[in-house]
Amino acid sequence: MANRKRNIQMKFYVTEKEKRLIDGKMAQLPTRRYGAYLRKMAIDGYIIQLDTTDIKQMNAALSAIGRNINQIAKRVNAGGGAYKADMREIQERLDEIWQLQRRILSSQR
């Protein structure tokens, strides 16, 4: 106990209803430890958890397009031509990005 960073223990009591409310709010976050959750809430007063799933999907689509463009550029620079299938795939990926962007922006209203 002497080497602990947090060496002061705090305790408090709650009702069944308060416990359910705490559990409900805690379930919205990635943590499962009461100590971490209650300490964060006691110090900061609020926690904001952002859902970045759509942004991650858009980044993956952008990365895929970047890879495709690099492959096409290498082929063109080596004397080959650009294929219609490549251009069609890039257009489809761009359409996917626009859809994701619209979904992200509409969810923030």
Side-chain angles (χ1 to χ4, degrees):
M1 283 294 260
N3 294 332
R4 283 179 162 248
K5 179 180 176 182
R6 294 182 178 96
N7 57 359
I8 300 170
Q9 185 178 30
M10 298 180 70
K11 293 182 180 183
F12 64 98
Y13 292 92
V14 295
T15 65
E16 286 291 327
K17 183 178 178 182
E18 290 169 334
K19 171 85 166 61
R20 283 193 303 273
L21 288 171
I22 291 170
D23 288 344
K25 288 186 177 189
M26 195 172 147
Q28 298 173 17
L29 300 172
T31 186
R32 296 291 169 250
R33 297 179 317 161
Y34 281 104
Y37 173 76
L38 295 173
R39 189 170 35 257
K40 183 71 172 163
M41 291 303 291
I43 293 170
D44 293 338
Y46 61 90
I47 297 174
I48 298 173
Q49 177 72 23
L50 300 175
D51 180 15
T52 58
T53 306
D54 290 338
I55 294 170
K56 288 178 183 176
Q57 287 176 348
M58 190 164 78
N59 285 341
L62 283 170
S63 180
I65 288 174
R67 285 190 302 273
N68 288 347
I69 290 171
N70 284 337
Q71 290 171 357
I72 293 168
K74 282 181 183 179
R75 190 169 45 242
V76 169
N77 288 334
Y83 299 114
K84 288 187 180 196
D86 293 330
M87 297 304 174
R88 190 171 33 251
E89 183 177 351
I90 289 173
Q91 186 61 49
E92 288 171 3
R93 299 279 183 160
L94 283 172
D95 291 342
E96 182 181 335
I97 288 172
W98 283 114
Q99 290 173 6
L100 287 168
Q101 186 178 29
R102 279 188 221 103
R103 187 173 2 149
I104 291 167
L105 292 174
S106 68
S107 70
Q108 299 204 358
R109 291 182 186 171

